[in-house]
Amino acid sequence: MSTLNLKAPAKVNYLLDVIRRRPDGYHELRMIMQRVNLCDDITLTLTESPGITVTCGKKGVPDGPGNIAWKAARVMLDLSGCGRGASIDITKNIPVAAGLGGGSSDAASVLTGMNQLLELNLSDQRLMEIGVTLGADVPFFIFARTALAEGIGEELRAMPEMPKAWILLVNPGVHVSTAWVYQNLRLTNEKVLAKVPEFFRTVEDVAALFSNDLESVTISAFPVIDEIKGRMLQLGAVGSMMSGSGPTVFGVFRTRAEAENACSEIARGTEWFTAVAETF
Ligand code: ATP
């Protein structure tokens, strides 16, 4: 078979510590990353003719070589040396440049999909090594478990089992530049890292982790993020925080009904992106 239909899920950060700036400009991080079942849909086809096409049609997402999914396909075709090509059709359900890792997830799906279609039999470890050359969050989506991520995000360890939770995602649609956020982050010399617990029994245990060093920077420019957090907590969220460098805010709820109720309350009268998803 030369076509695969792939689901590329979003992530949220339960924890995001920025430890230091490395001499090469990257930041050393400690993150807890959790997948949620809001997914982009990708149709990946191996073609006889060389060349790669990406069709997406979403504003802000490049169709050609600028698309990270294109780069993922290129590297796998080059490794195979087979002279064939690929066509990639992406339906973006994950908001773009939102702190939800959508592009990285698309790239990870294309790497694993091409590995299968080209019968390369590369290990997940090898795919993760290729993935980090495309983007720091790509290895996490290949790892495919809730993870403690260190380094620039590529040193991954599986987290102990965590309770499932209903997640409300709200993206107010303001434009946040990740580079700007890091430039405006003030790092202290001696950052004391909170200990990561070894057991999580309840969603309250999960929410007790919530901390994101980037949040105050993004909120200083976009106070709406703090307003959304406050609304989520008023409407029954066990915890609420910004994901990545934002602007998406997520809330953790005990039940789907509570998450959906908060979703309709918060969405009312706005044009914000909202979705209720489940962790997996
Ligand atoms: P991160 O949290 O890793 O910074 P993000 O979720 O904030 O990621 P993405 O949605 O991955 O951001 O998009 C970041 C940029 O990458 C966008 O500005 C977009 O132009 C570009 N891009 C390239 N390919 C894709 C893709 N397949 N999906 C989304 N964005 C893409």
Side-chain angles (χ1 to χ4, degrees):
M1 195 177 65
S2 61
T3 295
L4 290 174
N5 293 311
L6 305 165
K7 291 258 177 217
K11 59 84 182 163
V12 292
N13 296 96
Y14 283 162
L15 178 76
L16 198 166
D17 290 319
V18 183
I19 298 169
R20 66 180 183 100
R21 190 169 191 273
R22 303 195 319 191
D24 63 6
Y26 281 98
H27 285 84
E28 203 174 296
L29 307 171
R30 185 181 72 156
M31 301 185 282
I32 295 177
M33 302 169 85
Q34 169 67 56
R35 293 175 302 160
V36 299
N37 66 357
L38 169 70
C39 299
D40 288 345
D41 292 301
I42 301 177
T43 305
L44 176 64
T45 306
L46 202 57
T47 57
E48 289 304 327
S49 53
I52 302 164
T53 57
V54 177
T55 47
C56 178
K58 177 93 174 184
K59 194 168 160 269
V61 181
D63 267 348
N67 197 297
I68 189 168
W70 188 99
K71 296 185 175 104
R74 182 74 272 155
V75 75
M76 296 300 278
L77 286 164
D78 288 349
L79 270 173
S80 85
C82 68
R84 298 176 77 179
S87 113
I88 306 167
D89 183 70
I90 307 175
T91 303
K92 286 295 301 178
N93 299 310
I94 305 171
V96 177
L100 297 174
S104 301
S105 187
D106 293 349
S109 291
V110 170
L111 289 178
T112 50
M114 290 298 279
N115 191 35
Q116 206 177 318
L117 290 173
L118 292 164
E119 297 177 6
L120 291 172
N121 290 318
L122 301 182
S123 65
D124 282 355
Q125 187 55 42
R126 181 76 189 102
L127 291 176
M128 288 193 276
E129 286 163 14
I130 296 167
V132 75
T133 67
L134 303 173
D137 287 345
V138 178
F140 163 72
F141 289 104
I142 294 165
F143 189 67
R145 274 161 288 173
T146 306
L148 180 69
E150 292 176 290
I152 61 166
E154 86 290 20
E155 292 168 21
L156 297 161
R157 265 182 290 162
M159 285 292 289
E161 196 172 331
M162 297 177 92
K164 282 198 169 203
W166 290 95
I167 305 281
L168 169 59
L169 300 163
V170 176
N171 181 343
V174 293
H175 173 72
V176 176
S177 150
T178 302
W180 178 88
V181 173
Y182 276 100
Q183 276 155 20
N184 285 274
L185 175 69
R186 273 202 218 108
L187 290 169
T188 49
N189 283 339
E190 292 298 321
K191 185 170 165 61
V192 182
L193 296 179
K195 197 171 177 306
V196 174
E198 285 172 21
F199 301 101
F200 297 89
R201 283 187 307 111
T202 62
V203 282
E204 283 80 0
D205 294 340
V206 174
L209 282 172
F210 286 8
S211 169
N212 180 343
D213 284 345
L214 305 178
E215 198 179 62
S216 60
V217 183
T218 310
I219 286 176
S220 69
F222 303 105
V224 66
I225 289 168
D226 212 27
E227 288 161 27
I228 297 168
K229 284 179 63 177
R231 288 280 285 144
M232 286 201 190
L233 294 171
Q234 270 173 3
L235 290 162
V238 179
S240 176
M241 199 170 64
M242 185 183 83
S243 187
S245 54
T248 304
V249 179
F250 68 96
V252 172
F253 291 81
R254 286 185 198 85
T255 65
R256 180 185 198 151
E258 280 182 307
E260 280 177 351
N261 173 59
C263 185
S264 48
E265 290 292 326
I266 292 174
R268 185 175 303 140
T270 75
E271 295 197 341
W272 297 344
F273 169 91
T274 57
V276 171
E278 204 179 0
T279 60
F280 71 100

